[in-house]
Amino acid sequence: MSEKIVVIGANHAGTAALNTILDHYPDKEVIAFDANSNISFLGCGMALWIGGQISGPEGLFYSSKEILEKKGAVIHMNTKVSDIDFTKKIIFAETSSGRSMEQPYDKLILATGSVPIKFPLEGMELQNVQFVKLYQNAQDVIQKLKNPAIRKIAIVGAGYIGVELAEAFQRNGREVTLIDSAPGCLTGYYDHIFTNRMEENLREHGIQLAFSETVKRLEGKNHVEKVITDQNSYHADMVVFCTGFHPNTTLGRDLIKQFPNGAYLVNRRQETSIEHVYAVGDCTTVYNNASQKTDYIALATNAVRSGIIAAHNACGTVLESPGVQGSNGINIWNLKMVSTGLSLKKAQSMGFDADCVDYEDYQKAGFMEKDNYKVVIRIVYDRKSRIILGAQLCSEYDISMGIHLFSMAIQEQVTIDKLKLFDLFFLPHFNQPYNYITMAALNAR
């Protein structure tokens, strides 16, 4: 009898696990459960869809029940797993029509993802109060935007999703207010010299910024009409909450060891504290190479890698995660910002004796008169060990590939001094002989 491997959750991490097993281990019996009606929705494209920068949502899916079943899996959609007997190795589930199911397993991969953080504020029950994560959420927002009466939109939360949606709604012809209790936008990823540039970019494109303000309540009769903060009142025909996510770990909560934020605690093989049970994606921890500690970093890239690792281990091939750096990026009205590892502020808050070096120069040689843009770079490093802790870059030029160098440097614990004479090639079409990476490293104290 072939070994049964069950995957609970079939979005990015779950899909990666399923594809890995199906492609490499045809002797395994593969079953998946997902409470949703679709698989593999790329939420990162949600703002592009809302803002009309792509024609529709069709390209935001890269897999489906049909694709996975054609490869040999059994996929139960619209089916929620309600309980797991880890001793007898049985999963209990219920379909949307109310039919109960029991599924035995030999190995189990939990890919239950994350859910939006919802605050218990007065007025949350009003119409046009939105959360955005699933395809259905985006679909609902786009449908409501067909109503011309929805003119003013307030976004609560100025992280990546909030900033991207601010651009999207403005492109859609709406008036946008971006609210956050933090003193700026994207503060979890960037230091102020970068967040200041993004804030200026948002203001120049008509976004009203309301930072260092805490939302106290929502007001309205049936539909939301106002957002009340501790300092001001803002008219709003729609309020979108982008206040972060927390791991969806209700299954086995009292049995599986967890991180302080509730994420399943896993080792480098994605193994949980229960034998033969693995966890992947937004419901799990990662090892952060920048801080050299177990951490929680919910990114689709991390999810996919963790799914691949868990699948191989569940099938008997030992594979360990090299850890992550939390590499990320954003592009708002052509202002591109990328980062990896720790910001200076975060490094210092974690107890590192951290310093940084900043440098600004044009991407290409000065005689290259066309398509030549300035780049700002910050490299964060530890004073004593000199090891690189993080990097941030900002430009209108596509400098995204540069962050991969720093991601690898952090993973391999490279010192900033190693970068000073690092062999970076030169050609006027691409960069300068004394490029900003080299010059930043040379200027490090």
Side-chain angles (χ1 to χ4, degrees), residues 190-219:
Y190 298 92
D191 290 312
H192 67 91
I193 65 167
F194 294 91
T195 60
N196 289 348
R197 288 172 182 263
M198 183 57 75
E199 289 160 25
E200 182 181 352
N201 183 33
L202 292 167
R203 286 193 191 94
E204 286 177 353
H205 286 89
I207 307 299
Q208 182 180 5
L209 304 182
F211 296 149
S212 298
E213 296 190 29
T214 301
V215 175
K216 292 298 185 181
R217 66 183 185 278
L218 308 178
E219 291 183 352

Side-chain angles (χ1 to χ4, degrees), residues 113-114 131 141 280 312 346 360-361 394 415 423 440:
S114 59
F131 288 87
V141 168
V280 297
H312 280 296
K346 189 166 186 178
E360 182 173 355
D361 200 356
C394 173
T415 67
D423 182 15

